Amino acid sequence: MYPKKTHWTSEVTPELHGSNVVVAGWVWELRDLGKIKFIVVRDREGFVQITLKAGKTPDHLFKIFSELGKEDVVVVKGIVESSKIAKSGVEIFPEEIWVLNKAKPLPLDIWSETPDLATRLKWRSADLKRPRNLAVFSTASAILRAIRDVMYEEGFVEVFTPKIIVTSTEGGAELFPVMYFERVAYLSQSPQLYKEQLTASLERVFEIGPAYRAEKHNTDYHLNEFISVDAEAAFMDYNDIMDILEKLVKRVISTITTVAHRLEEAGLKPLLEISKIPRVDYDEAVERLRQLGYSISWGDDLNVEMQKALTKFYGPVYFLVHFPASLRPFYTKRKEGDKSESYDLIINGIEVASGATRVHRRDELEEEMKRRGLDPRLFESHLAVFDYGMPPHAGFGLGFNRLLAALLGLDNVRHATLYPRDRYRVEP
Amino acid sequence: MYPKKTHWTSEVTPELHGSNVVVAGWVWELRDLGKIKFIVVRDREGFVQITLKAGKTPDHLFKIFSELGKEDVVVVKGIVESSKIAKSGVEIFPEEIWVLNKAKPLPLDIWSETPDLATRLKWRSADLKRPRNLAVFSTASAILRAIRDVMYEEGFVEVFTPKIIVTSTEGGAELFPVMYFERVAYLSQSPQLYKEQLTASLERVFEIGPAYRAEKHNTDYHLNEFISVDAEAAFMDYNDIMDILEKLVKRVISTITTVAHRLEEAGLKPLLEISKIPRVDYDEAVERLRQLGYSISWGDDLNVEMQKALTKFYGPVYFLVHFPASLRPFYTKRKEGDKSESYDLIINGIEVASGATRVHRRDELEEEMKRRGLDPRLFESHLAVFDYGMPPHAGFGLGFNRLLAALLGLDNVRHATLYPRDRYRVEP
């Protein structure tokens, strides 16, 4: 039986000089300089150099070395020595090496960034061994933690709402049908209606979970299954929610800053600076775009190109606020002049989050449904909840994969997703 | 515009005597004693008494009082006074009251525990206003946070794996079909294969998300959509994982203990005491059951009744370990004598979690598939991953709703689920 890992490779630092450690991971590189041989071992957190030296290293380890291949799974027990030559300033002189599994030659090159996206996604589990991916998905976990911390601080409780539903949230969006025993149901496109209902009891709720859009988009920033961060709060309006979102984005960026060194070593260019996030009125945005020569009329939605163009005025992160009511779903609260108490959060030109103050009176809600050609009778079970004490409320929905891609500087949301589901991809 | 809530009701304590506060919530109770009138306001965290007193309270508030009904949505601004009579030792003398929404009479009684389960679930959003439900689901959020804290401490990163898949995880279980554009896919019954694959890159991963079982069970402890807490770790075995699970259960119980007062006030009997969790060998369990007169042969699975019977020996929380290999899925590592490195975590007779050391060699895995009548060719994309450096690994899957129900003393897992999905229920 092999001993337990005592340290991640990143924890093996010169301060441990003289200590006995056990590391475990994968053979990243083998170098044979004759009387001295090196094994670079990778684990989730980084790399460490194992040095075999004639006269110092037990003989049987040279035989093990001679049979090792890249990506073999190894456990190494040895003594740490600080080193002026080794890359991380430290090396391990092994006392024992256990080879726990052998690896065949990999189906793609994880030692460079050359493979194309399709190849990477085909062999995704092997591709995830790539140091850049380890950095991205370790950071993703830290970001999730930071997001939840902000939500807890703001008095939100975490909930899980069903993903199998009987009606569309918004009437319009395309849904994936599910055979639920004897009937047809659908995969939820958003927890919108549930989270609104929950403001009447739990007041401030958030959920982080999958959402589904059966849209035939095939772009760099659409997925058909994505992770949605949703929040909704009673007794708040869209400005209160933007305050929370601003705090959230800043917290996430400072989380990224703590691992910036690792991300930059992996070739990424994370967003590390942010000041106050500007809140840009829709009218002003349209005016600016016209000045830039874009053909846009009041009432039109902005496209990605336009949103990118606006970064030259407002920086990489800004809110667009007060969209025309006609552009937003039925549950959005109106403001004067056919506008609405709504906003989008734009990062590097991509809409990452969206939200609004919601309608909290049944009669107004029915009115807004009818304006959009929706039949209130189809929403009766939702509307009924508004009869029993619905508070004013507001919230947001945020695409986690988009947030991750935007903040880490990834050019395709699929790079920010472990196993993406898109128009043509449902495996691995 | 109404002012912002400054305090949850539970934060309005005698120490605030003389302070100005704003509370917001729902009218729970109205009492009219003539010159003195009381409004009990409920929010997520509890109750507070608002006292209107002739000569002290502005006149127009008496008119508002006269028109108030239960569950109306109110914001109250007033002065806190400590009180020897009021239940929580404190009352608020209002300066202003805003009625933000009116409520019709509720379709079920939330002021007692009399409604039956079907009625509660039919009107779930109203039912969730019940103080017991507010306590249960606030505690659920705190438990989720405690679970993640343990996983972070143990070096796990949080992941999200797809819920739309093309093949069954285990061959056997029944799946819900999804129409994914031009093809049929399925809802994932478990992240088992993905989390195992991820041990070859991210090493220690956990996921908290929905899982689907198209089984026609209709019991107090089965759901067709449930929240699964999954973990998997490279370079660990089943004993290491049971150590982590034991730490997790203890952390969760100490989290519950911090809110025990609230849960007990709501009529719940949470589990608050736990010492070392015994690890009971399957052979010993079978022997005990035979002594108790149960008809069970070596190789049989235990049922709920048997698991409950064993609590008299081992207490309410125990592990059953070393199940016959034939009872466990193909990815379970064998032990000598046709047994396996597997375990279940049993709480109050219900299987709450399950796990094992997994097979990490491709040839053994294919062998185990064949023994169970599964065709390895159907799992080729999963098996291929085992060619590229799969480490030894182990993990668990835990049913969050069951854990919550068991630890809070709820007699049906549906009480531990916001909007349950079962054999006959797909709405609300």
Side-chain angles (χ1 to χ4, degrees):
Chain A
M1 191 63 183
Y2 60 92
K4 299 292 163 203
K5 180 189 276 218
T6 61
H7 293 76
W8 295 101
T9 55
S10 58
E11 293 171 335
V12 181
T13 55
E15 294 72 50
L16 287 183
H17 179 83
S19 307
N20 220 309
V21 298
V22 178
V23 295
W26 291 262
V27 174
W28 179 253
E29 196 184 337
L30 293 161
R31 270 181 292 151
D32 189 342
L33 307 182
K35 287 194 174 166
I36 192 159
K37 298 173 201 300
F38 302 105
I39 310 169
V40 178
V41 171
R42 180 200 79 245
D43 69 7
R44 185 182 75 207
E45 300 298 325
F47 301 93
V48 71
Q49 178 181 296
I50 315 297
T51 306
L52 287 73
K53 203 170 176 178
K56 181 164 181 170
T57 299
D59 284 347
H60 72 286
L61 299 187
F62 288 91
K63 177 156 192 307
I64 289 176
F65 179 91
S66 70
E67 292 167 357
L68 275 181
K70 282 185 175 184
E71 290 306 308
D72 285 353
V73 181
V74 293
V75 171
V76 180
K77 181 166 181 270
I79 309 281
V80 178
E81 291 197 14
S82 62
S83 159
K84 284 186 178 142
I85 304 160
K87 204 179 166 195
S88 58
V90 74
E91 59 195 329
I92 297 174
F93 285 90
E95 294 175 342
E96 192 55 87
I97 298 176
W98 292 261
V99 181
L100 303 184
N101 213 348
K102 296 290 294 175
K104 290 187 182 172
L106 262 58
L108 84 173
D109 176 5
I110 62 166
W111 296 271
S112 78
E113 292 294 328
T114 52
D116 60 45
L117 182 65
T119 304
R120 290 181 182 205
L121 295 180
K122 180 176 180 189
W123 301 104
R124 190 56 161 166
S125 290
D127 182 55
L128 292 171
K129 294 164 172 267
R130 187 185 303 283
R132 183 181 291 186
N133 279 330
L134 297 175
V136 166
F137 292 103
S138 297
T139 304
S141 176
I143 291 175
L144 286 164
R145 189 175 184 179
I147 290 172
R148 288 200 186 86
D149 281 346
V150 170
M151 300 316 293
Y152 296 138
E153 286 167 24
E154 297 292 327
F156 286 69
V157 294
E158 185 171 11
V159 297
F160 290 103
T161 65
K163 302 307 158 207
I164 301 183
I165 53 157
V166 290
T167 45
S168 165
T169 310
E170 309 188 10
E174 303 199 46
L175 301 173
F176 290 115
V178 182
M179 280 308 304
Y180 191 79
F181 299 114
E182 296 79 12
R183 64 177 295 175
V184 178
Y186 301 94
L187 290 183
S188 167
Q189 79 217 69
S190 153
Q192 183 66 31
L193 305 190
Y194 288 108
K195 69 179 179 172
E196 285 196 57
Q197 294 185 18
L198 289 171
T199 64
S201 51
L202 293 166
E203 292 193 50
R204 299 179 201 168
V205 298
F206 77 98
E207 176 168 13
I208 304 183
Y212 300 89
R213 305 274 163 95
E215 295 164 351
K216 293 186 173 174
H217 292 302
N218 197 23
T219 75
D220 292 348
Y221 46 90
H222 280 94
L223 293 168
N224 296 98
E225 176 184 58
F226 65 98
I227 298 303
S228 185
V229 179
D230 275 275
E232 201 73 24
F235 309 112
M236 288 195 193
D237 69 13
Y238 71 125
N239 280 310
D240 301 321
I241 297 292
M242 279 192 282
D243 291 345
I244 292 173
L245 257 178
E246 180 158 352
K247 180 176 174 183
L248 188 154
V249 170
K250 287 177 175 168
R251 185 74 61 87
V252 167
I253 289 175
S254 58
T255 300
I256 293 173
T257 303
T258 64
V259 292
H261 180 69
R262 181 175 182 189
L263 293 166
E264 286 166 348
E265 270 201 342
L268 296 165
K269 291 186 183 63
L271 186 70
L272 302 175
E273 297 275 338
I274 190 175
S275 49
K276 175 86 188 140
I277 302 180
R279 298 180 186 187
V280 183
D281 192 275
Y282 172 86
D283 293 352
E284 180 184 320
V286 167
E287 192 50 44
R288 293 266 196 199
L289 288 167
R290 280 186 182 150
Q291 284 165 9
L292 290 174
Y294 287 93
S295 162
I296 181 171
S297 307
W298 197 95
D300 289 349
D301 219 341
L302 278 66
N303 62 30
V304 171
E305 194 192 338
M306 295 172 186
Q307 288 166 175
K308 283 192 173 155
L310 291 174
T311 61
K312 67 171 69 85
F313 302 108
Y314 308 115
V317 185
Y318 60 90
F319 287 108
L320 275 176
V321 300
H322 305 147
F323 284 85
S326 59
L327 287 176
R328 310 298 280 201
F330 67 81
Y331 43 76
T332 311
K333 193 174 179 196
R334 271 175 194 272
K335 212 176 153 1
E336 72 285 353
D338 284 332
K339 295 177 78 173
S340 62
E341 296 195 358
S342 61
Y343 60 88
D344 281 357
L345 172 66
I346 311 291
I347 304 183
N348 291 332
I350 305 291
E351 176 211 319
V352 165
S354 189
T357 314
R358 322 295 187 180
V359 177
H360 70 285
R361 291 184 197 277
R362 180 176 174 141
D363 52 352
E364 280 178 42
L365 204 52
E366 292 192 17
E367 193 57 41
E368 293 295 340
M369 285 176 177
K370 287 177 193 160
R371 280 182 201 244
R372 288 164 181 80
L374 297 170
D375 184 349
R377 285 172 300 182
L378 297 176
F379 292 87
E380 180 53 36
S381 79
H382 180 59
L383 288 166
V385 178
F386 286 66
D387 286 335
Y388 307 126
M390 182 58 79
H393 58 285
F396 70 80
L398 178 151
F400 179 70
N401 315 74
R402 284 189 181 182
L403 179 77
L404 188 62
L407 295 182
L408 299 191
L410 302 168
D411 61 8
N412 190 312
V413 70
R414 290 166 185 78
H415 288 304
T417 311
L418 287 168
Y419 299 93
R421 293 293 178 258
D422 63 26
R423 179 70 185 84
Y424 302 106
R425 198 173 273 109
V426 68
E427 51 186 335
Chain B
M1 193 62 183
Y2 59 91
K4 299 293 164 201
K5 179 189 276 220
T6 61
H7 293 75
W8 295 102
T9 55
S10 58
E11 293 171 336
V12 181
T13 54
E15 294 73 50
L16 288 182
H17 180 83
S19 306
N20 220 309
V21 298
V22 177
V23 296
W26 292 261
V27 173
W28 180 252
E29 195 184 339
L30 294 161
R31 270 180 293 149
D32 188 342
L33 308 180
K35 288 195 175 166
I36 191 158
K37 299 175 201 299
F38 302 105
I39 309 169
V40 178
V41 170
R42 179 200 80 243
D43 69 7
R44 184 183 75 207
E45 299 298 325
F47 302 93
V48 71
Q49 178 181 296
I50 314 297
T51 306
L52 286 73
K53 202 170 174 179
K56 179 164 184 170
T57 300
D59 284 348
H60 72 286
L61 298 188
F62 288 91
K63 177 155 191 308
I64 288 176
F65 178 92
S66 71
E67 291 167 356
L68 274 181
K70 282 185 175 183
E71 289 307 307
D72 285 353
V73 182
V74 293
V75 171
V76 180
K77 180 166 181 269
I79 309 283
V80 178
E81 292 196 14
S82 64
S83 159
K84 283 184 179 141
I85 305 158
K87 205 179 165 196
S88 59
V90 73
E91 59 195 329
I92 296 173
F93 285 91
E95 294 175 343
E96 191 54 88
I97 297 176
W98 292 260
V99 182
L100 303 184
N101 213 349
K102 295 290 294 175
K104 290 187 184 173
L106 262 58
L108 84 173
D109 176 5
I110 62 167
W111 297 270
S112 78
E113 291 295 326
T114 52
D116 60 44
L117 182 65
T119 304
R120 290 181 183 205
L121 295 181
K122 180 176 180 190
W123 301 104
R124 189 57 161 166
S125 290
D127 182 56
L128 291 171
K129 295 164 171 266
R130 186 185 303 284
R132 183 181 291 186
N133 279 331
L134 297 175
V136 166
F137 292 103
S138 297
T139 305
S141 176
I143 291 175
L144 286 163
R145 188 175 185 180
I147 290 172
R148 289 201 185 85
D149 282 345
V150 169
M151 300 316 292
Y152 296 137
E153 286 167 24
E154 297 292 329
F156 286 70
V157 294
E158 185 170 11
V159 297
F160 290 103
T161 65
K163 302 306 158 207
I164 301 183
I165 54 157
V166 290
T167 44
S168 164
T169 309
E170 309 188 10
E174 303 198 48
L175 302 175
F176 290 115
V178 182
M179 279 308 304
Y180 190 79
F181 298 115
E182 297 78 13
R183 64 177 295 175
V184 178
Y186 301 94
L187 290 183
S188 167
Q189 79 218 68
S190 152
Q192 183 66 32
L193 305 190
Y194 289 107
K195 69 179 178 172
E196 285 195 57
Q197 294 184 17
L198 289 170
T199 64
S201 52
L202 294 167
E203 293 192 50
R204 300 179 201 170
V205 298
F206 77 99
E207 175 168 13
I208 304 183
Y212 300 89
R213 305 275 162 95
E215 295 164 351
K216 293 186 173 175
H217 292 303
N218 197 25
T219 75
D220 292 348
Y221 46 90
H222 280 95
L223 293 168
N224 295 98
E225 177 184 58
F226 64 99
I227 298 304
S228 184
V229 179
D230 275 276
E232 201 73 23
F235 308 112
M236 289 195 192
D237 69 12
Y238 71 124
N239 280 311
D240 301 321
I241 297 292
M242 279 192 281
D243 290 344
I244 292 173
L245 257 179
E246 180 158 353
K247 180 177 173 183
L248 187 155
V249 170
K250 286 178 176 169
R251 186 74 60 87
V252 167
I253 288 175
S254 57
T255 300
I256 292 173
T257 303
T258 64
V259 292
H261 181 69
R262 181 176 181 189
L263 294 165
E264 286 166 348
E265 269 200 344
L268 295 165
K269 292 187 183 62
L271 186 69
L272 301 175
E273 297 274 339
I274 190 175
S275 49
K276 175 85 189 142
I277 301 180
R279 299 181 186 186
V280 183
D281 192 276
Y282 172 86
D283 293 352
E284 180 184 319
V286 167
E287 191 52 43
R288 293 267 197 197
L289 288 167
R290 280 185 180 151
Q291 285 165 8
L292 291 173
Y294 287 93
S295 162
I296 180 171
S297 306
W298 197 95
D300 290 348
D301 220 341
L302 278 67
N303 61 30
V304 170
E305 193 191 338
M306 294 171 186
Q307 289 166 175
K308 284 193 171 154
L310 291 174
T311 62
K312 68 171 69 84
F313 301 109
Y314 307 115
V317 185
Y318 60 89
F319 286 108
L320 275 177
V321 301
H322 305 147
F323 284 85
S326 58
L327 288 176
R328 310 297 280 201
F330 67 82
Y331 43 76
T332 311
K333 193 174 179 197
R334 273 176 193 271
K335 211 176 157 354
E336 72 285 352
D338 283 334
K339 294 177 78 174
S340 62
E341 296 196 357
S342 60
Y343 60 88
D344 281 358
L345 172 66
I346 310 292
I347 305 183
N348 291 333
I350 305 291
E351 176 211 318
V352 165
S354 188
T357 315
R358 322 295 188 180
V359 177
H360 70 284
R361 291 184 196 278
R362 180 175 175 142
D363 52 351
E364 281 177 42
L365 204 53
E366 292 193 17
E367 192 57 41
E368 294 294 341
M369 286 176 176
K370 287 176 193 162
R371 280 184 202 242
R372 288 163 181 79
L374 297 170
D375 184 349
R377 286 173 300 183
L378 297 177
F379 292 86
E380 180 52 36
S381 79
H382 180 58
L383 288 166
V385 179
F386 286 66
D387 286 335
Y388 307 125
M390 182 57 80
H393 57 284
F396 71 78
L398 177 151
F400 178 70
N401 315 73
R402 283 189 181 182
L403 178 78
L404 188 62
L407 294 182
L408 299 190
L410 302 167
D411 61 8
N412 190 313
V413 71
R414 290 167 185 77
H415 288 305
T417 310
L418 287 168
Y419 299 92
R421 293 293 178 257
D422 63 25
R423 179 71 186 83
Y424 302 106
R425 197 174 274 109
V426 68
E427 49 185 337

